[in-house]
Amino acid sequence: MKLFEDRISSAVARVRIALALKAVEVESVPTSILGAEPRSRSADYLAVNPQGLVPALLTDDGVLITQSLAIVEYLDEWFPEPALLPADPAERALARSVALSIASDIHPLLPPRVAKRLGTIPGADSMTAMEWNRHWIQEGLTAIEALLSRQPERLFAVGNAPSVADIVLFPQAINAERAGISLERWPRIAAVISSLRTIPAFAANAPVPRSADHRGPRR
Ligand SMILES: N[C@@H](CCC(=O)N[C@@H](CS)C(=O)NCC(=O)O)C(=O)O
C-alpha cells in the first residue's frame, strides 16, 4: 500500500498512528502541502485525490481511499488487531464522537488553505490566522474535556485501550501545544496525552513541526 503524506499533517499522523498500532507497513509517497508549489496541488496528485489533501491511501488492489477516518476504519477492517473501536456500543459511539468533534469541527478550520485564505481578507494582519487557530482549538478542546470528564478516569480517552478517539486527539493536542496552548487547563486531556506519549506508535508519529521557512514571519 502507498500512503500519500506530509509528516507535518495531523490528519496524516492519525493514519500513521493506526498503521503503527497494527504494525502494518506502507510505502510513503511524500506529498508536500506547504510552499509556493505544494505537491498536493500538482496535477499529478489531483489526479489521485481531487481534493488535493493528504492523507490518501492507495491499496495494492488499486483502491484509492481519501479522508483519514475512512482510512483508519479501512485499516481496522482489514487488520482487526488491535481494534481501534471499543466493543461496547456506547463507548464505540463516544470514541467516534471525540474523533469527529476534532476531525469535523476543529481541524477543518485550521489547515494551510484556511490560513492562506484568511490572509487575503482585507484588514487581516499577521496575527489573524494564529488567533483564529487558537480560538477554535481552545473552544474544541474545552468541549472534549467536558465529554471525557463524564467518564471514569482512565489511561485512554475512551475505554481501556487506544481507540480512534486517541488517534485523533493526540495529533491535535500536540499541535495545540505547538501553538502555545498549554494542556494543563484540560486535566483529563493532559492525562490522556501524557500516557499516549509513552506508547511508541503515538510518540513516533506525532505531526512533525513545520520548518522555520514555512512558518512565515514570527508572530
Ligand atoms: N478531513 C480530511 C482533512 C485532510 C486535510 O485537511 N489535510 C491537510 C493536512 S492536515 C491538507 O492536506 N492541507 C493542505 C491545504 O490545506 O492546502 C482528513 O481527515 O483526511
Side-chain angles (χ1 to χ4, degrees):
M1 291 192 288
K2 290 183 180 174
L3 179 64
F4 296 84
E5 60 173 348
D6 183 327
R7 296 286 307 271
I8 68 162
S9 155
S10 60
V12 163
R14 298 170 194 158
V15 172
R16 294 192 63 89
I17 294 166
L19 287 164
L21 287 169
K22 291 175 179 296
V24 173
E25 293 197 359
V26 292
E27 181 187 334
S28 172
V29 184
T31 308
S32 60
I33 61 170
L34 296 179
E37 290 185 8
R39 175 135 195 251
S40 60
R41 297 284 155 182
S42 67
D44 281 2
Y45 186 63
L46 290 172
V48 174
N49 179 1
Q51 274 195 294
L53 303 176
V54 293
L57 185 78
L58 183 62
T59 73
D60 294 341
D61 298 331
V63 177
L64 193 276
I65 307 169
T66 63
Q67 292 292 333
S68 59
L69 290 184
I71 298 171
V72 168
E73 289 211 5
Y74 175 87
L75 294 171
D76 210 26
E77 282 158 13
W78 272 101
F79 309 97
E81 296 299 327
L84 300 179
L85 284 164
D88 174 74
E91 288 190 341
R92 204 175 175 88
L94 180 61
R96 285 188 166 122
S97 297
V98 171
L100 285 168
S101 66
I102 296 170
S104 305
D105 298 332
I106 303 178
H107 179 267
L109 295 159
L110 313 176
R113 63 191 181 282
V114 173
K116 207 168 164 183
R117 178 75 186 105
L118 280 174
T120 68
I121 294 173
D125 65 16
S126 61
M127 283 300 289
T128 304
M130 185 70 85
E131 280 171 5
W132 169 273
N133 285 2
R134 291 163 62 90
H135 171 83
W136 296 116
I137 292 170
Q138 290 177 77
E139 187 184 270
L141 292 184
T142 298
I144 289 170
E145 176 75 8
L147 272 182
L148 298 188
S149 299
R150 295 178 185 166
Q151 306 296 307
E153 197 158 346
R154 284 183 284 215
L155 287 177
F156 303 105
V158 180
N160 292 316
S163 74
V164 68
D166 303 286
I167 285 174
V168 180
L169 179 59
F170 185 73
Q172 186 61 69
I174 299 295
N175 278 344
E177 288 185 320
R178 289 196 185 133
I181 301 169
S182 165
L183 300 181
E184 275 173 24
R185 77 184 80 171
W186 304 293
R188 293 294 297 269
I189 292 176
V192 167
I193 298 306
S194 75
S195 68
L196 297 176
R197 280 186 217 274
T198 67
I199 301 175
F202 284 84
N205 290 297
V208 303
R210 292 181 185 199
S211 61
D213 53 328
H214 280 140
R215 229 172 266 153
R218 202 71 193 129
R219 294 165 175 175

